[in-house]
Amino acid sequence: MAVTGNHRKLSREGETAQRDALMAAALPGIAKGGGRAAALRAVARRAGLTPGLIRHCVQSGQDLTRAACGRLVDRMMAANLKGLDTSPVDPAARLAAFVAALLRPPVIDAETHGPWAGFIHRLRIDPQIRLAHEAACLACRDRLRQMGAALPRPAGDATLRAPAVAIAIACNAVIDGPWLQAPALPAAFAAGEIPRTGQTPVGAIVNPDLLSHLPEAP
């Protein structure tokens, strides 16, 4: 019996749905117990799939952990890009919007923070996870560099003497602080405070007051 195009499409869609279910089921376990928590049988139970179906998508718990890491990185990067699509044209306002997007869900929430911490433990022993982590960090740093370079500078501004990459690294570092603290201490921050804790020091580094270029975060 010949396999039609529709059958192939439905088969691919079914495999994609199964893989999505696997990723969703793997991430909570990784958040609690690192990469070892991605044991295939345990994930199968959480995803409502049989071990046989899981092995059709991935060959081992290590493969599943790597795929889940890649999916998490893709989700975070997509959220960053979506924030840029709707951000203002003014360079300072655009930078302020990007920093805010880095410090709001889905980039900053328990579903992201926990698995990311679990993956950190595997950076030294799994080259693929290290590469995914490196790609996400460098992509964010590069966007900060591009946005910082687009800001108008008054004559004699001292920040002009610092390399653009160094400025981006400094901005990334001060964003990492609230990114790490907010999910761990959610009660310590008032509504809308988390994005501002990133926008204020980034503005101090690059010179413009970012808060004055963007309405107060909700």
Side-chain angles (χ1 to χ4, degrees):
M1 179 177 175
V3 178
T4 67
N6 284 338
H7 281 122
R8 284 194 293 268
K9 180 180 178 182
L10 289 173
S11 177
R12 288 195 299 271
E13 289 176 348
E15 290 178 2
T16 299
Q18 290 171 5
R19 194 170 181 83
D20 288 343
L22 279 178
M23 300 305 105
L27 288 174
I30 292 170
K32 293 179 180 179
R36 293 182 180 178
L40 291 185
R41 289 188 178 276
V43 173
R45 288 194 297 271
R46 290 195 293 270
L49 301 174
T50 66
L53 282 175
I54 284 190
R55 292 194 178 278
H56 180 69
C57 298
V58 294
Q59 296 301 310
S60 66
Q62 183 182 52
D63 288 341
L64 179 56
T65 299
R66 290 170 172 173
C69 179
R71 181 66 59 90
L72 180 66
V73 168
D74 289 344
R75 186 177 74 184
M76 294 170 66
M77 295 179 72
N80 294 344
L81 292 175
K82 184 178 180 180
L84 286 179
D85 289 340
T86 58
S87 63
V89 176
D90 176 77
R94 190 170 172 81
L95 177 57
F98 181 63
V99 172
L102 292 173
L103 295 173
R104 289 181 181 148
V107 180
I108 179 171
D109 57 23
E111 293 182 3
T112 298
H113 187 266
W116 188 265
F119 292 132
I120 291 294
H121 293 291
R122 303 192 62 80
L123 291 180
R124 294 184 179 180
I125 61 175
D126 194 318
Q128 290 191 30
I129 289 180
R130 183 170 64 250
L131 287 174
H133 181 274
E134 179 180 326
C137 291
L138 292 181
C140 180
R141 190 183 76 181
D142 192 51
R143 291 198 174 275
L144 287 169
R145 179 187 60 78
Q146 293 173 4
M147 292 183 180
L151 293 170
R153 300 292 185 196
D157 186 349
T159 57
L160 282 173
R161 304 189 191 108
V165 171
I167 294 173
I169 291 172
C171 292
N172 206 26
V174 298
I175 293 169
D176 279 347
W179 190 89
L180 290 170
Q181 291 180 38
L185 300 169
F189 296 89
E193 184 180 3
I194 297 171
R196 292 195 296 273
T197 61
Q199 291 167 333
T200 300
V202 169
I205 291 171
V206 299
N207 195 21
D209 176 8
L210 297 189
L211 295 181
S212 69
H213 289 79
L214 195 69
E216 188 168 301

